[in-house]
Amino acid sequence: MPALVIILLIVGIVLLLLGVFVEAVKFLLWVGIVIVVIAIIAWLMRFIKRQA
């Protein structure tokens, strides 16, 4: 019985850490998308100014 409790505790901790890691990856994915969009807008502004 104590072995089952230890296994469940370890599985619970692993799932908790995995959930936190996945949320962090989702957040960083959105941050990356925003940075890419800002970089594209900046590149377009420079391209338009060069053409004018």
Side-chain angles (χ1 to χ4, degrees):
M1 193 67 169
L4 181 61
V5 172
I6 292 172
I7 291 172
L8 288 176
L9 182 65
I10 291 172
V11 169
I13 291 171
V14 168
L15 290 177
L16 177 68
L17 292 175
L18 189 62
V20 170
F21 179 70
V22 168
E23 289 299 318
V25 169
K26 287 181 187 177
F27 174 73
L28 291 176
L29 180 65
W30 281 110
V31 169
I33 290 171
V34 169
I35 290 172
V36 167
V37 168
I38 291 172
I40 290 172
I41 291 171
W43 178 81
L44 283 174
M45 291 296 203
R46 283 194 302 168
F47 183 75
I48 291 170
K49 284 184 180 180
R50 237 186 312 183
Q51 297 297 323

